C-alpha cells in the first residue's frame, strides 16, 4: 500500500475514501445514508492503523467463507467476505480499513486472490486502494459508476472493470445486477456444486456444503431473526423499497439455484431453503406494503 493512498481522507460516517481533502461526503448526503448530527468528520488509513485491527471469522458451516471484520467497527461497519474456491479466491464487498497484516494474508492464500467485487456504493469504501495493494481487478457495476468517488484518481495501471447485468468472476462464481437499493445493486452467487470433492486421503471432519449460496449485502437483507428477508431503499433512514423493485429482484433470481444466503454482516444467515424463504418473504413484504400479485403477475392493492 502506497503512502499516498494511506493518507487519503476517509469519511468516518460511511467509510468512503476520497482522492483529496474535502468538506462534504456525497455518499452521506444521499438520502440512503446520513450526515451525523455532529457533522462530517474524516480519518485516513494511516490514522486507522494505530487503533484498528482485522479479525477473520470463518463460517461455522463452511470455512471457505470468511468474514473480514474490522475491530473496532468503523463507518457503517462494512464486513467483506473472503470466498475461497478451488479455482481462486475472491473478496466480496470492501471496508475502509486495510492493514499490512491483511495484505500479507491475502497475497499468500493457497488459492490466489482473483478479484474484488462490490455490491453497491455504500461498500465502495477504500476498494481502489485494496485493488492496488492486492494487485487484483476491481469489479463495479456500470450503473453505479457515478457513485465511485475515485474516478478522477484512476491510473493507467489500475484494473477497474465496470460490468452490467451479469459477470462471471471465475468457475462457479458470478455477480448479478438486481437493482433496487441502487440501480447497480448486486449479489454474488457461488455454485458450490462445481467444487471438486475433497481427496480421499484428506477428508474434512464434517460435510462440506455443496448447495448454491448467494451473498446479498443490502440488495436482499437477511432480517435479524435469520428466518426471513426484507427489502430497503434506505436502511438507516428506514425507507422501504418500492414493490415493483422487489418484483424485479425476484425476477432476476427466479432461475438461480441456491439453498443458503447471507448478508454482509456477522449472524445474518438463511441456512436452509433460502430460495423458498425468499419467495415467502416477497409475499410478506408486499402484503405489509398493502399489495399482492394476482394471477397475471400484476400488482393489485389489498382490500383493507
Amino acid at each position: 500500500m502506497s503512502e499516498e493512498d494511506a493518507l487519503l481522507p476517509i469519511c468516518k460516517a460511511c467509510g468512503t475514501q476520497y482522492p483529496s481533502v474535502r468538506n462534504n461526503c456525497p455518499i452521506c448526503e444521499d438520502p440512503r445514508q446520513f450526515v451525523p448530527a455532529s457533522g462530517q468528520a474524516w480519518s485516513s488509513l494511516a490514522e486507522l492503523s494505530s487503533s484498528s485491527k482485522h479479525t477473520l471469522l470463518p463460517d461455522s458451516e463452511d470455512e471457505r467463507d470468511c468474514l473480514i471484520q474490522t475491530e473496532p467497527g468503523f463507518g457503517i461497519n462494512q464486513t467483506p467476505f473472503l470466498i475461497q474456491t478451488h479455482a481462486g479466491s475472491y473478496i466480496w464487498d470492501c471496508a475502509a480499513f486495510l492493514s499490512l497484516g491483511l495484505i500479507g494474508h491475502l497475497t499468500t492464500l493457497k488459492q490466489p486472490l482473483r478479484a474484488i467485487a462490490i455490491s453497491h456504493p455504500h461498500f465502495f469504501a477504500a476498494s481502489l486502494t485494496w485493488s492496488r495493494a492486492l494487485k487484483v481487478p476491481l469489479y463495479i457495476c456500470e450503473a453505479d459508476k457515478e457513485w465511485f468517488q475515485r474516478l478522477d484518481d484512476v491510473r493507467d495501471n489500475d484494473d477497474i472493470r465496470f460490468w452490467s447485468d451479469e459477470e462471471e468472476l471465475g468457475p462457479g462464481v458470478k455477480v448479478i445486477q438486481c437493482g433496487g437499493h441502487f440501480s447497480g445493486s448486486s449479489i454474488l452467487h457461488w455454485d458450490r456444486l462445481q467444487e471438486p470433492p475433497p481427496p480421499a486421503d484428506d477428508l474434512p471432519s464434517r460435510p462440506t456444503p455443496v448447495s448454491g449460496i448467494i451473498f446479498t449485502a443490502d440488495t436482499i437483507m437477511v432480517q435479524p431473526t435469520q428466518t426471513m428477508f426484507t427489502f430497503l431503499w434506505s436502511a438507516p433512514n428506514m425507507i422501504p423499497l418500492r414493490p415493483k423493485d422487489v418484483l424485479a429482484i425476484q425476477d432476476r433470481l427466479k432461475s438461480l439455484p441456491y439453498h443458503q444466503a447471507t448478508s454482509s454482516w456477522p449472524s445474518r444467515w438463511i441456512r436452509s431453503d433460502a430460495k423458498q424463504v425468499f419467495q415467502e418473504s416477497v409475499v410478506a413484504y408486499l402484503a405489509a406494503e398493502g399489495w399482492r400479485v394476482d394471477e397475471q403477475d400484476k400488482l393489485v392493492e389489498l382490500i383493507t
Side-chain angles (χ1 to χ4, degrees):
M1 176 170 51
S2 70
E3 181 179 358
E4 181 183 358
D5 283 333
L7 295 174
L8 294 179
I10 295 175
C11 173
K12 285 187 175 182
C14 72
T16 300
Q17 188 179 46
Y18 287 87
S20 60
V21 176
R22 58 186 303 135
N23 295 319
N24 71 316
C25 173
I27 299 294
C28 286
E29 291 176 345
D30 179 77
R32 280 162 286 204
Q33 183 53 22
F34 65 96
V35 177
S38 56
Q40 213 80 63
W42 305 91
S43 185
S44 66
L45 285 172
E47 182 179 285
L48 287 171
S49 65
S50 65
S51 58
S52 302
K53 67 176 183 178
H54 287 112
T55 301
L56 300 180
L57 304 175
D59 176 41
S60 60
E61 290 190 6
D62 190 346
E63 292 187 351
R64 297 171 297 180
D65 302 331
C66 184
L67 282 164
I68 304 172
Q69 184 168 274
T70 299
E71 295 182 336
F74 181 81
I76 54 179
N77 206 20
Q78 297 98 325
T79 311
F81 263 101
L82 170 62
I83 301 165
Q84 301 176 80
T85 80
H86 76 285
S89 299
Y90 306 88
I91 292 176
W92 171 241
D93 278 330
C94 196
F97 180 51
L98 176 63
S99 65
L100 294 178
L102 183 63
I103 293 172
H105 177 75
L106 294 175
T107 53
T108 57
L109 294 170
K110 181 178 180 181
Q111 300 299 335
L113 198 61
R114 302 297 186 193
I116 300 171
I118 313 295
S119 64
H120 70 293
H122 291 156
F123 286 76
F124 286 168
S127 55
L128 181 57
T129 294
W130 282 54
S131 176
R132 287 175 177 172
L134 298 170
K135 296 180 173 58
V136 293
L138 172 62
Y139 286 81
I140 290 175
C141 187
E142 178 78 31
D144 288 339
K145 184 176 181 178
E146 65 179 295
W147 293 100
F148 188 60
Q149 301 301 316
R150 295 190 66 183
L151 278 177
D152 295 337
D153 190 31
V154 175
R155 305 167 186 162
D156 290 341
N157 59 345
D158 288 328
D159 191 353
I160 303 181
R161 304 182 186 184
F162 294 102
W163 61 277
S164 296
D165 189 41
E166 192 173 294
E167 184 79 11
E168 184 175 327
L169 302 182
V173 180
K174 63 182 176 180
V175 283
I176 301 164
Q177 180 183 358
C178 297
H181 183 46
F182 280 83
S183 297
S185 284
S186 310
I187 66 164
L188 183 144
H189 177 253
W190 179 19
D191 182 1
R192 293 181 291 196
L193 275 174
Q194 293 196 32
E195 294 296 304
D201 59 351
D202 189 24
L203 293 175
S205 58
R206 58 188 175 188
T208 301
V210 296
S211 58
I213 179 173
I214 56 174
F215 299 80
T216 67
D218 288 20
T219 307
I220 310 162
M221 299 186 73
V222 176
Q223 295 177 357
T225 63
Q226 300 190 78
T227 59
M228 296 283 280
F229 296 100
T230 194
F231 309 87
L232 295 173
W233 187 76
S234 170
N237 298 318
M238 296 173 284
I239 303 174
L241 195 61
R242 294 183 302 177
K244 287 185 178 180
D245 289 333
V246 174
L247 292 179
I249 295 171
Q250 183 182 44
D251 186 64
R252 288 291 285 141
L253 301 188
K254 63 183 179 182
S255 62
L256 200 65
Y258 62 96
H259 186 66
Q260 292 189 335
T262 180
S263 295
S264 298
W265 290 274
S267 302
R268 291 294 183 98
W269 284 87
I270 303 293
R271 292 291 186 182
S272 61
D273 300 319
K275 190 161 189 172
Q276 179 62 34
V277 171
F278 176 80
Q279 305 302 333
E280 294 169 356
S281 297
V282 170
V283 172
Y285 180 89
L286 294 178
E289 289 293 296
W291 299 90
R292 66 177 178 86
V293 176
D294 66 11
E295 292 77 8
Q296 285 76 43
D297 292 330
K298 293 182 178 180
L299 278 172
V300 295
E301 192 170 3
L302 288 173
I303 299 174
T304 58

